[in-house]
């Protein structure tokens, strides 16, 4: 029995179910970012990392290592937290995953801030806040705001910290994270406490407790209890203060939050010093210092040394007190220098944050403005299309009216001739019937003058009827060609035949005063909407006819020139003033008593030619006449037929003046 290779097994293991399992674990880990169960978070992240590595699932491993970094931070194992966050960032950069990279940077900031390396922490959190805000990642924007708020609080920039905590509360409510709101409340309470506003601080802490508890967030609950202890400690109510500190320490020991344990122990140490219990204070503070050194938290180390110096001084051991005081000064100076640099950088921080906020607001307003503009343009476009459809319909109806008027005249003439001939034929047949009844023989019938006259009239009327019928047939055929009623709307068509059909529909009385000159060359069929092009021809011919008041001529030219089919309609009418040529193809153009009074006709002609990716131009001189030129591409495909639908080369539809 053969065994699959290691590569095959890995490929087999990397199933959809395996990847989905890693993703599900990472979703659980994100939900644990409140810090409610750091040990459980660490265990789950280690399992997710191992599975992702086995599946060679890089994105899954990157996220599980990111959350592992947070778990180590909760547990105050800062070096391990930095290591995991750095690995996560490298994996995200390998994937070119900018969102993941910034999440890893935020984790690095959080760990660095916990270690007291504020300069690096500052640059990271500013970069993250700007990215999350621009990308609309609201939960992570909230985490960034929370971190930056805490940063300002530690720098003593209370006003800015209060503003950021307020923003964090809004963000927490928006994303449905009560623990985020509660942590912001605790931060605001701390600022009130440090400013001596004890009542306001108590209100914030007490408001935060139910939110932490409903979110199952013991880490936040312990922080609120610790700060309540500090309030009562400052108020001199030592018993109640000690109770809150002990309850806070018990929770922190239970969840393994070692840096926070240092904080509780140091606070308890100061409380015991205030109560003159030096021995108990030394015991508690010794534990705090050992833990702080183990987790390499410089702020907690110098705070423990400071409290130990005071405890030994209370006990009368001034040598030990001096020793701890020197250590306190030495380490604090190092941290203070970092703080000083951070304070200098805080001015830049203010600028960067405010600029990021303004940029985000500008982007938001711009998006709103663009959305409103797009909606307005869509409405205008819809109205324009509706108006264009109505105008096209109006022009079609106007052209139809002119066509019906001309057809009525044209049809009445042959129909009248047929009717008159038929009436004469009825009378002739009556005469023939009378002659046949009066004469005894065929020879006498033939010799009768009445018979001979009636026979001649019948022969003449037959020719009249034949001519009239031929005219009717020609009109019907021209009308059929004009309308293309029996053919597809878009097709290959001979526009020369279409132009000819339009000319055939002109009333006879017009051709009596206007000479029609045809200069038609052989041209290929082109793809077009023949019905619409016939409408263009009808409109331009009607304008040419209107421009000729008495007698004149209209010359029609059609020829293929290169890639273009060129049609010219040249009249000897009044011509158009140069000032009006620029607006000739606009819908609102009117000119009473001139050849261009039907402004919708020319505008429609312009629209139809543009639809064919062609060009229409006009040249005119007052008193000499006007020339309309239409140029259509011999090869093109409209958008609705699946083509790219772009403009053909030189496909300008502007008037040539």
């Amino acid at each position: 029995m053969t065994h699959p290779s290691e590569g095959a097994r890995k490929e087999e293991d990397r199933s959809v179910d395996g990847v989905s399992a890693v993703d599900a674990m990472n979703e659980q880990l994100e939900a644990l970012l409140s810090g409610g169960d750091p040990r459980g978070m660490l265990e789950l992240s280690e399992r997710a990392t191992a599975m992702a590595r086995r599946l060679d699932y890089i994105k899954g491993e990157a996220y599980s290592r990111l959350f592992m970094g947070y778990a180590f931070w909760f547990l105050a194992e800062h070096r391990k937290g930095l290591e995991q966050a750095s690995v996560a960032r490298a994996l995200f950069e390998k994937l070119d995953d900018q969102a993941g990279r910034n999440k890893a940077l935020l984790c690095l900031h959080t760990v660095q801030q916990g270690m007291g390396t504020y300069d690096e922490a500052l640059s990271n959190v500013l970069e993250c806040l700007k990215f999350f805000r621009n990308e609309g990642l609201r939960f992570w924007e909230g985490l960034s705001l929370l971190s930056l708020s805490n940063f300002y609080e530690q720098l003593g920039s209370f006003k800015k910290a209060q503003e950021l905590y307020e923003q964090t509360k809004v963000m927490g409510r928006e994303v449905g994270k009560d623990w985020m709101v509660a942590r912001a409340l605790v931060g605001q309470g701390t600022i009130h406490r440090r400013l001596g506003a004890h009542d306001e601080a108590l209100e914030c802490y007490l408001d935060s407790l139910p939110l932490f508890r409903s979110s199952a967030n013991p880490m936040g609950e312990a922080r609120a209890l610790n700060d309540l202890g500090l309030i009562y400690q400052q108020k001199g109510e030592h018993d109640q203060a000690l109770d809150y500190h002990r309850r806070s320490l018990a929770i922190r020991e239970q969840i393994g939050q070692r840096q926070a344990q240092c904080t509780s122990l140091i606070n308890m140490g100061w409380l015991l010093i205030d109560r003159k219990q030096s021995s108990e204070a030394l015991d508690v503070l010794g534990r705090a210092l050992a833990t702080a050194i183990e987790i390499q938290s410089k702020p907690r180390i110098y705070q423990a040394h400071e409290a130990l110096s005071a405890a030994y001084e209370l006990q009368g051991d001034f040598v030990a007190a001096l020793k701890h005081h020197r250590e306190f000064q030495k380490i604090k100076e190092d941290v203070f220098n970092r703080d000083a640099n951070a304070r200098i950088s805080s001015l830049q921080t203010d600028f960067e944050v405010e600029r990021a906020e303004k940029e985000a607001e500008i982007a938001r307003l711009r998006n709103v403005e663009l959305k409103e503009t797009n909606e307005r343009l869509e409405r205008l476009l819809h109205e324009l299309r509706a108006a264009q459809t109505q105008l096209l319909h109006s022009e079609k109806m106007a052209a139809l009216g002119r066509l019906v008027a001309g057809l009525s005249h044209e049809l009445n003439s042959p129909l009248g001739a047929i009717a008159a001939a038929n009436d004469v034929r009825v009378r002739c047949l009556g005469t023939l019937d009378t002659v046949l009844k009066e004469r005894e023989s065929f020879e006498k019938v033939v010799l009768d003058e009445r018979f001979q006259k009636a026979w001649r009239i019948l022969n003449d009327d037959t020719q009249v009827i034949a001519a009239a019928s031929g005219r009717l047939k020609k009109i019907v055929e021209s009308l059929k060609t004009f309308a293309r009623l029996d053919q597809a709307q878009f097709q290959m068509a001979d526009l020369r035949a279409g132009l000819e059909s339009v000319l055939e529909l002109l009333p006879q009385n017009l051709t009596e005063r206007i000479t029609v000159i045809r200069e038609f060359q052989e041209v290929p069929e082109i793809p077009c909407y023949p019905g619409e092009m016939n409408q263009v021809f009808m409109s331009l011919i009607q304008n040419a006819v209107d421009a000729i008041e008495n007698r004149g001529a209209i010359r029609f030219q059609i020829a293929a020139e290169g890639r273009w089919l060129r049609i010219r309609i040249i009249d000897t009418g009044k011509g158009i003033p140069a000032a009006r040529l620029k607006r000739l193809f606009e819908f609102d153009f009117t000119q009473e008593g001139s050849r261009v009074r039907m402004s919708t006709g020319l505008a429609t002609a312009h629209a139809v030619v543009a639809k064919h990716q062609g060009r229409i131009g006009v040249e005119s001189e007052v008193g000499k006449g006007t020339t309309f030129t239409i140029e259509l591409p011999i090869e093109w495909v409209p958008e609705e037929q699946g083509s790219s639908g772009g403009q053909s080369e030189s496909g300008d539809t502007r008037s040539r003046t």
Side-chain angles (χ1 to χ4, degrees):
M1 180 176 178
T2 59
H3 295 281
S5 66
E6 182 65 26
R9 284 199 303 272
K10 178 176 286 189
E11 188 64 29
E12 181 179 351
D13 285 343
R14 184 172 179 170
S15 63
V16 175
D17 290 342
V19 170
S20 298
V22 173
D23 289 341
M25 284 190 283
N26 282 328
E27 288 179 7
Q28 288 180 264
L29 287 166
E30 183 171 312
L32 292 172
L33 280 177
S34 63
D37 183 12
R39 287 198 180 98
M41 186 178 185
L42 179 59
E43 180 183 351
L44 182 59
S45 62
E46 288 174 342
R47 285 169 49 204
T49 300
M51 181 177 289
R53 287 178 61 81
R54 186 169 65 252
L55 296 171
D56 195 23
Y57 180 26
I58 298 177
K59 183 176 181 180
E61 180 184 353
Y63 270 103
S64 61
R65 287 187 180 276
L66 162 68
F67 297 126
M68 193 186 301
Y70 273 109
F72 279 127
W73 170 68
F74 289 137
L75 297 170
E77 297 188 39
H78 296 131
R79 294 299 177 188
K80 292 181 179 179
L82 283 176
E83 179 184 351
Q84 294 303 320
S86 299
V87 173
R89 181 177 64 174
L91 291 174
F92 282 125
E93 289 175 346
K94 180 179 179 180
L95 295 170
D96 195 24
D97 185 339
Q98 293 303 311
R101 174 185 174 276
N102 279 276
K103 291 174 184 178
L105 275 178
L106 183 60
C107 181
L108 282 170
H109 153 78
T110 304
V111 179
Q112 288 163 348
Q113 187 175 345
M115 296 177 66
T117 54
Y118 296 120
D119 290 342
E120 293 180 55
L122 172 62
S123 61
N124 286 338
V125 74
L126 288 174
E127 183 177 348
C128 295
L129 177 62
K130 183 176 180 180
F131 177 85
F132 295 138
R133 182 167 287 166
N134 290 339
E135 294 298 315
L137 298 173
R138 308 294 279 170
F139 170 73
W140 289 91
E141 181 183 349
L143 282 183
S144 301
L145 280 171
L146 189 61
S147 295
L148 193 59
S149 305
N150 185 255
F151 186 86
Y152 271 103
E153 177 197 325
Q154 292 184 15
L155 289 179
S157 300
F158 296 147
K159 182 178 179 180
K160 186 64 178 179
Q162 282 281 24
E163 293 175 2
L164 292 172
Y165 276 132
E166 199 62 36
Q167 293 180 36
T168 305
K169 285 160 60 179
V170 173
M171 193 71 66
R173 294 187 184 101
E174 181 180 326
V175 298
K177 301 296 184 183
D178 286 345
W179 62 265
M180 189 178 291
V181 178
R183 284 179 64 179
L185 281 168
V186 168
Q188 290 181 318
T190 300
I191 293 173
H192 288 310
R193 176 176 58 79
R194 293 175 69 178
L195 293 174
H198 294 159
D199 292 340
E200 291 85 347
L202 277 172
E203 183 179 356
C204 289
Y205 295 142
L206 293 173
D207 286 345
S208 71
L209 277 173
L211 294 175
F212 281 130
R213 288 166 180 164
S214 65
S215 303
N217 191 311
M219 187 172 79
E221 181 182 355
R223 166 73 187 274
L225 292 171
N226 175 81
D227 290 353
L228 281 168
L230 292 175
I231 288 289
Y232 285 107
Q233 186 173 340
Q234 290 177 358
K235 293 174 69 175
E237 300 180 22
H238 294 165
D239 290 341
Q240 193 164 358
L242 187 59
D243 178 62
Y244 277 119
H245 284 316
R246 285 172 174 167
R247 287 164 61 187
S248 174
L249 179 60
I251 294 174
R252 288 171 169 175
E253 288 177 340
Q254 182 179 2
I255 63 177
Q257 194 183 11
R258 302 177 70 198
Q259 181 165 295
Q261 290 175 37
C262 288
T263 302
S264 292
L265 290 169
I266 291 170
N267 290 335
M268 289 175 65
W270 281 112
L271 177 60
L272 292 169
I273 291 172
D274 290 341
R275 297 179 66 169
K276 310 301 182 184
Q277 296 176 269
S278 59
S279 298
E280 292 85 346
L282 288 172
D283 179 60
V284 168
L285 292 172
R287 290 166 54 196
L289 179 60
T291 304
I293 292 173
E294 186 177 351
I295 64 175
Q296 300 181 14
S297 176
K298 288 184 178 180
R300 301 298 179 272
I301 293 174
Y302 84 72
Q303 290 168 7
H305 278 299
E306 181 185 19
L308 281 166
S309 176
Y312 277 114
E313 183 179 355
L314 177 64
Q315 199 175 48
D317 189 346
F318 298 107
V319 175
L322 180 60
K323 174 185 174 184
H324 284 289
H325 184 74
R326 287 175 177 171
E327 289 296 320
F328 156 67
Q329 291 290 351
K330 176 182 175 183
I331 300 172
K332 183 182 178 182
E333 184 178 352
D334 179 55
V335 175
F336 179 79
N337 287 335
R338 294 176 181 271
D339 284 347
N341 292 334
R343 288 176 188 274
I344 293 172
S345 300
S346 69
L347 295 174
Q348 179 67 17
T349 304
D350 289 339
F351 172 74
E352 292 291 343
V353 172
E354 290 176 6
R355 185 176 68 175
E357 291 174 349
K358 289 179 180 178
E359 288 177 353
E361 181 65 12
I362 290 171
R364 186 187 68 79
L365 293 174
R366 188 173 297 161
N367 289 336
V368 171
E369 182 181 355
L370 287 174
K371 182 180 179 182
E372 292 176 351
T373 301
N374 287 337
E375 291 174 351
R376 184 166 62 252
L377 288 176
E378 287 179 3
R379 288 195 302 270
L380 290 174
L381 181 60
H382 178 74
E383 293 171 3
L384 178 61
R385 286 173 176 170
Q388 186 179 29
T389 301
Q390 181 62 37
L391 288 168
L392 288 172
H393 178 70
S394 299
E395 175 56 25
K396 287 179 181 178
M397 296 304 294
L400 181 60
R402 292 192 296 268
L403 180 62
V404 169
L407 284 175
S408 297
H409 182 274
E410 288 300 295
L411 293 174
N412 281 334
S413 295
L415 287 174
I418 292 173
N422 185 65
D423 183 63
V424 172
R425 288 170 73 87
V426 170
R427 291 198 301 271
C428 287
L429 288 172
T431 300
L432 290 175
D433 184 62
T434 301
V435 172
L436 287 172
K437 289 179 180 179
E438 291 177 353
R439 301 302 180 181
E440 297 84 358
S441 64
F442 180 72
E443 290 79 5
K444 292 181 179 181
V445 170
V446 172
L447 294 174
D448 192 298
E449 291 182 359
R450 291 175 297 171
F451 175 83
Q452 293 175 358
K453 182 180 179 181
W455 187 257
R456 287 195 304 272
I457 292 173
L458 284 173
N459 283 331
D460 292 341
D461 282 352
T462 299
Q463 295 177 8
V464 170
I465 291 173
S469 299
R471 177 61 180 161
L472 287 174
K473 181 180 179 181
K474 192 171 185 180
I475 290 172
V476 170
E477 288 178 350
S478 296
L479 182 61
K480 185 178 178 181
T481 302
F482 175 83
R484 304 273 176 165
L485 297 176
D486 61 340
Q487 300 179 37
Q489 187 180 22
F490 179 79
Q491 59 187 276
M492 299 295 295
D494 183 357
L495 290 189
R496 182 180 61 173
L499 183 57
E500 186 66 61
S501 70
V502 176
L503 294 175
E504 287 295 334
L505 296 175
L506 291 176
Q508 288 285 351
N509 63 342
L510 289 178
T511 57
E512 291 174 0
R513 70 180 181 87
I514 298 174
T515 302
V516 175
I517 304 170
R518 295 172 172 84
E519 296 178 354
F520 293 171
Q521 297 183 16
E522 292 292 331
V523 294
E525 291 185 342
I526 68 169
C528 66
Y529 297 89
E532 294 184 9
M533 288 308 305
N534 287 341
Q535 181 183 338
V536 172
F537 297 151
M538 175 68 77
S539 179
L540 295 179
I541 292 171
Q542 186 64 47
N543 277 279
V545 170
D546 291 342
I548 301 173
E549 292 184 343
N550 297 313
R551 291 187 176 275
I554 304 177
R555 185 185 305 273
F556 297 91
Q557 299 176 343
I558 184 168
E561 300 179 12
R563 296 184 300 165
W564 298 90
L565 184 70
R566 185 169 287 110
I567 303 163
R568 287 191 175 92
I569 300 175
I570 309 165
D571 68 62
T572 58
K574 291 182 177 181
I576 307 170
R580 297 186 176 181
L581 284 175
K582 293 181 179 180
R583 303 186 62 186
L584 189 62
F585 293 102
E586 296 181 8
F587 282 113
D588 62 351
F589 182 85
T590 58
Q591 185 178 353
E592 293 297 330
S594 78
R595 61 182 291 282
V596 290
R597 64 180 180 273
M598 295 297 295
S599 63
T600 57
L602 293 177
T604 301
H606 183 279
V608 170
V609 172
K611 179 180 178 179
H612 285 73
Q613 298 185 13
R615 304 176 291 201
I616 182 170
V618 59
E619 298 173 356
S620 185
E621 186 175 349
V622 176
K624 292 187 178 181
T626 301
T627 298
F628 280 95
T629 302
I630 299 173
E631 294 176 329
L632 300 172
I634 293 176
E635 295 181 358
W636 73 285
V637 179
E639 292 182 1
E640 56 265 33
Q641 299 295 322
S643 170
S644 61
Q647 286 286 331
S648 60
E649 184 178 341
S650 303
D652 187 10
T653 60
R654 294 173 295 179
S655 305
R656 294 196 303 264
T657 59

